């Protein structure tokens, strides 16, 4: 049985939904100086630099997720462009993992508290890869139309 369009709930695009939740959590971590309590000028310089790097990675990842989602592929070149944006978003998430790893190694902070952030980032990477893989179905449909 189908549901009338006017009575349907808006579906959540899990890639976006999870990304916003993750971005909020990581931004709160940055706001709390990554959980570090030190106050020297060097530490402040390091924390400020890493905060900027982490927030820029999040901002750029959101940009590429949005760009990829704005393309509904009808032609093969659009599939390629969308995939390029998805790849950039995935790469930025790996970069984010590396930034957090550097922070863990550079500051005397509780490493166990970072496990959940790594899990959130890895889940987002998996969601992005799943989205990218599901686009292969669209690509095949476009290729089949082209052959006929």
């Amino acid at each position: 049985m189908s549901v009338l369009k006017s009575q349907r709930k808006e579906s959540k695009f899990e890639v976006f939904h999870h990304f916003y939740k993750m971005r909020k959590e990581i931004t709160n971590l940055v706001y709390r100086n990554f959980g570090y309590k030190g106050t020297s000028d060097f530490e402040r310089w390091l924390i400020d630099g890493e905060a900027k790097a982490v927030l820029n990675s999040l901002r750029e990842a959101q940009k590429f997720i949005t760009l990829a989602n704005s393309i509904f592929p009808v032609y093969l070149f659009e599939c390629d462009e969308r995939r390029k944006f998805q790849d950039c978003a995935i790469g930025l998430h790996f970069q984010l993992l590396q930034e957090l790893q550097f922070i863990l190694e550079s500051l005397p902070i509780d490493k166990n508290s970072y496990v959940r952030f790594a899990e959130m980032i890895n889940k987002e990477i998996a969601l992005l890869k799943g989205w990218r893989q599901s686009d292969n179905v669209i690509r095949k449909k476009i290729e089949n139309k082209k052959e006929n």
Side-chain angles (χ1 to χ4, degrees), residues 72-146:
F72 185 78
V74 177
Y75 301 103
L76 287 177
F77 76 90
E78 292 171 326
C79 291
D80 295 338
E81 187 173 5
R82 181 166 156 144
R83 185 176 186 93
K84 180 181 74 173
F85 291 140
Q86 291 166 331
D87 289 344
C88 287
I90 291 167
L92 283 162
H93 281 79
F94 279 113
Q95 178 182 334
L96 187 57
L97 281 171
Q98 292 302 312
E99 289 295 337
L100 293 179
Q101 182 64 36
F102 176 75
I103 293 164
L104 281 172
E105 292 174 5
S106 302
L107 297 172
I109 51 181
D110 179 22
K111 293 168 180 25
N112 293 326
S113 65
Y114 275 66
V115 171
R116 72 184 185 101
F117 298 110
E119 288 172 351
M120 290 176 87
I121 295 168
N122 284 324
K123 180 178 178 183
E124 183 68 14
I125 290 169
L127 289 169
L128 286 163
K129 286 181 175 181
W131 178 31
R132 186 178 64 180
Q133 188 174 13
S134 72
D135 279 1
N136 290 336
V137 174
I138 296 171
R139 183 179 192 85
K140 290 212 183 293
K141 286 180 183 177
I142 293 170
E143 288 173 344
N144 289 340
K145 279 185 184 179
K146 187 176 178 181

Side-chain angles (χ1 to χ4, degrees), residues 44-96:
R44 183 80 258 150
W45 168 83
L46 178 66
I47 289 170
D48 289 347
E50 286 305 308
K52 186 178 279 189
V54 166
L55 294 175
N56 282 339
S57 292
L58 287 167
R59 190 174 295 119
E60 286 294 302
Q62 181 178 344
K63 177 179 88 174
F64 285 114
I65 291 168
T66 303
L67 287 169
N69 192 50
S70 70
I71 299 171
F72 185 78
V74 177
Y75 301 103
L76 287 177
F77 76 90
E78 292 171 326
C79 291
D80 295 338
E81 187 173 5
R82 181 166 156 144
R83 185 176 186 93
K84 180 181 74 173
F85 291 140
Q86 291 166 331
D87 289 344
C88 287
I90 291 167
L92 283 162
H93 281 79
F94 279 113
Q95 178 182 334
L96 187 57

